[in-house]
Amino acid sequence: MSEALNLDAAFSALADPTRRAILARLAKGEATVTELAKPFEMTQPAISQHLKVLENAGIVARRVDSTRRPRRLAKAGIEAMDQWLAMLRKALEKNYDRLDDVLAGIEPPKIKKEEKNDEQVDSED
């Protein structure tokens, strides 16, 4: 059940565009709060609040490096979301495969000779 709660928190955290932008930046590598705040028109404490949400959701981790506290993506949290989405992708693929099978089994309607002649007359106009 805790995995479901983490997924709820993770997907909830992703609902905010600022947090998604922070994750996109962290995908390039570790960054401090100061580095993460640069592209945004908000204070470092505001960025810290966003980071706290991401950390509580388990998708960002903090490392202590002397006086610095760089953040990075948390592999386990990202993998949990990816596994859940992979399950949905697999289910969707099965649905499409079943639809392909149904469509392949449907024969195209046969055109009666009269309708075929009418179509040829129309196309000659």
Side-chain angles (χ1 to χ4, degrees), residues 47-59:
I47 293 294
S48 292
Q49 286 294 326
H50 283 294
L51 287 168
K52 185 176 181 178
V53 171
L54 293 167
E55 288 172 14
N56 289 340
I59 52 181

Side-chain angles (χ1 to χ4, degrees), residues 112-123:
K112 295 179 184 176
K113 198 170 196 176
E114 297 168 1
E115 291 175 5
K116 202 173 194 181
N117 289 337
D118 289 342
E119 287 178 10
Q120 288 175 349
V121 170
D122 290 341
S123 64

Side-chain angles (χ1 to χ4, degrees), residues 3 6 14 18 21 43 104 114-115:
E3 185 176 322
N6 287 340
L14 293 177
T18 300
T43 64
E114 297 168 1
E115 291 175 5

Side-chain angles (χ1 to χ4, degrees), residues 71-90:
R71 292 348 191 261
R72 60 180 161 63
L73 295 178
K75 183 179 179 183
I78 301 296
E79 285 178 347
M81 289 188 302
D82 189 47
Q83 287 173 1
W84 191 80
L85 290 169
M87 178 266 308
L88 292 180
R89 278 190 297 273
K90 186 180 282 188

Side-chain angles (χ1 to χ4, degrees), residues 14-124:
L14 293 177
D16 186 278
T18 300
R19 290 193 281 267
R20 290 193 306 273
I22 289 170
L23 290 175
R25 166 53 187 87
L26 290 175
K28 297 176 183 176
E30 283 187 344
T32 63
V33 174
T34 305
E35 294 167 337
L36 291 169
K38 281 182 185 176
F40 299 103
E41 292 183 17
M42 60 178 67
T43 64
Q44 286 183 6
I47 293 294
S48 292
Q49 286 294 326
H50 283 294
L51 287 168
K52 185 176 181 178
V53 171
L54 293 167
E55 288 172 14
N56 289 340
I59 52 181
V60 167
R62 179 187 341 193
R63 182 173 68 82
V64 177
D65 180 21
S66 186
T67 58
R68 296 174 25 134
R69 305 286 187 268
R71 292 348 191 261
R72 60 180 161 63
L73 295 178
K75 183 179 179 183
I78 301 296
E79 285 178 347
M81 289 188 302
D82 189 47
Q83 287 173 1
W84 191 80
L85 290 169
M87 178 266 308
L88 292 180
R89 278 190 297 273
K90 186 180 282 188
L92 190 59
E93 287 172 12
K94 285 182 182 178
N95 287 342
Y96 283 134
D97 289 345
R98 284 196 310 265
L99 179 59
D100 287 343
D101 291 344
V102 168
L103 293 175
I106 296 175
E107 291 191 28
K110 295 183 180 177
I111 300 175
K112 295 179 184 176
K113 198 170 196 176
E114 297 168 1
E115 291 175 5
K116 202 173 194 181
N117 289 337
D118 289 342
E119 287 178 10
Q120 288 175 349
V121 170
D122 290 341
S123 64
E124 291 175 3

